[in-house]
């Protein structure tokens, strides 16, 4: 679990790092509740160049968000969770897979409605 949390933090840090970021930005606000004995934690900060980051978590997972303006002027709003299933980012700027082709959907429906004989007995 700690690995997933570390990966999530690194991913967020990677998103907001780069050559075009204002290196003179200052932290305007900071909240940091270090992990308690059960491993629950939370933090949030905002910088003078408009970066906003927040996260809450425990040994079971973490959730958070990052908001900033990209060097191209695009408003980036990223939310994420990280748990035993991995890192799950959500944002309008992220690429999305194409829709599943109709012939694949038809094939899957056929397979579902015509299971092999050994599977019919289990249902």
């Amino acid at each position: 679990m700690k690995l997933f949390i570390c990966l999530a933090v690194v991913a967020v840090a990677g998103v907001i790092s780069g050559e075009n970021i204002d290196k003179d930005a200052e932290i305007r606000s900071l909240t940091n509740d270090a992990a308690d004995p059960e491993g629950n934690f939370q933090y949030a900060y905002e910088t003078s160049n408009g970066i906003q980051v927040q996260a809450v978590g425990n040994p079971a997972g973490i959730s958070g968000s990052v908001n900033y303006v990209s060097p191209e002027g695009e408003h980036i709003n990223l939310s994420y969770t990280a748990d035993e299933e991995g890192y799950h980012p959500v944002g309008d700027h992220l690429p999305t897979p194409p829709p599943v082709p109709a012939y694949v959907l038809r094939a899957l429906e056929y397979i579902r409605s015509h299971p092999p004989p050994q599977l019919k007995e289990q249902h």
Side-chain angles (χ1 to χ4, degrees):
M1 184 71 247
K2 290 181 182 179
L3 174 63
F4 291 118
I5 292 172
C6 289
L7 289 175
V9 171
V10 168
V12 169
V15 167
I16 59 176
S17 66
E19 293 300 317
N20 297 327
I21 299 297
D22 179 5
K23 291 179 175 50
D24 295 322
E26 297 178 357
I27 296 176
R28 288 190 173 161
S29 66
L30 171 65
T31 303
N32 185 17
D33 296 337
D36 63 19
E38 290 80 38
N40 301 304
F41 71 92
Q42 66 180 9
Y43 65 86
Y45 64 88
E46 182 176 351
T47 64
S48 59
N49 61 349
I51 297 171
Q52 298 174 334
V53 177
Q54 68 85 27
V56 297
N58 58 44
I62 182 174
S63 65
S65 66
V66 178
N67 300 297
Y68 65 98
V69 177
S70 75
E72 298 77 30
E74 182 181 4
H75 289 271
I76 303 296
N77 297 308
L78 174 75
S79 61
Y80 64 91
T81 59
D83 55 25
E84 66 275 355
E85 299 293 321
Y87 176 68
H88 312 282
V90 176
D92 291 339
H93 65 289
L94 298 175
T96 57
V100 177
Y103 69 89
V104 172
L105 294 174
R106 286 192 306 271
L108 291 172
E109 177 56 29
Y110 179 85
I111 292 167
R112 186 195 65 74
S113 62
H114 297 85
Q118 68 271 19
L119 294 179
K120 287 181 181 177
E121 296 170 7
Q122 294 176 357
H123 293 229

